[in-house]
Amino acid sequence: MTKNQITMSMYTVKNRFRRKREQQYCLNLVSINHRVTEFMASYFDIIFALNELTHPGEKRLIDLCEQNCKILPDNFRHNLQCLFTDMFVDPEMVAADIDVIIDELEKI
């Protein structure tokens, strides 16, 4: 994946999530779970592509990234933990959590 493709992928994911948020999906827990799952799949695809690594599958991705990826966003684990906590504790914060995660990814 080229840097241009990665940038376009991040832009697409960010806009897709924001569009869904604007369509009032924010407080529907099933929808939140679905959208976050889609976002996370793209997020990890981008991280592994940036590190020129093959995607290892769906298990223990945070640990595997921390062990194998030289390029990671700042506050990688913390930001993901905030997102996962807010998904069901404070769903109104999910969009803000995703914005933070994307902003950190864009800084790389």
Side-chain angles (χ1 to χ4, degrees), residues 62 66 73-85 97 100-101:
I62 296 171
E66 289 178 332
D74 288 341
N75 304 310
F76 173 72
R77 181 178 288 269
H78 171 77
N79 290 337
L80 292 175
Q81 287 173 333
C82 287
L83 172 62
F84 297 141
T85 299
D97 292 334
V100 168
I101 290 168

Side-chain angles (χ1 to χ4, degrees), residues 6 46-54 65 68-72:
I6 291 169
I46 291 167
I47 288 176
F48 287 113
L50 285 170
N51 285 279
E52 298 180 5
L53 297 171
T54 57
C65 283
N68 300 315
C69 296
K70 294 177 182 173
I71 303 169
L72 282 177

Side-chain angles (χ1 to χ4, degrees), residues 20-108:
K20 293 298 180 185
R21 179 179 62 190
E22 290 166 5
Q23 294 172 359
Q24 301 301 317
Y25 283 99
C26 271
L27 297 179
N28 178 332
L29 295 180
V30 173
S31 179
I32 289 171
N33 184 53
H34 179 71
R35 298 294 164 223
V36 169
T37 299
E38 285 182 341
F39 169 76
M40 295 308 302
S42 296
Y43 180 69
F44 283 109
D45 286 345
I46 291 167
I47 288 176
F48 287 113
L50 285 170
N51 285 279
E52 298 180 5
L53 297 171
T54 57
H55 197 297
E58 295 183 9
K59 296 183 180 174
R60 299 180 28 246
L61 289 176
I62 296 171
D63 292 335
L64 289 171
C65 283
E66 289 178 332
Q67 292 167 7
N68 300 315
C69 296
K70 294 177 182 173
I71 303 169
L72 282 177
D74 288 341
N75 304 310
F76 173 72
R77 181 178 288 269
H78 171 77
N79 290 337
L80 292 175
Q81 287 173 333
C82 287
L83 172 62
F84 297 141
T85 299
D86 286 343
M87 281 175 63
F88 300 105
V89 174
D90 192 2
E92 292 182 10
M93 290 302 299
V94 168
D97 292 334
I98 287 185
D99 284 343
V100 168
I101 290 168
I102 291 171
D103 289 344
E104 292 297 333
L105 187 60
E106 289 176 332
K107 291 178 186 177
I108 295 177

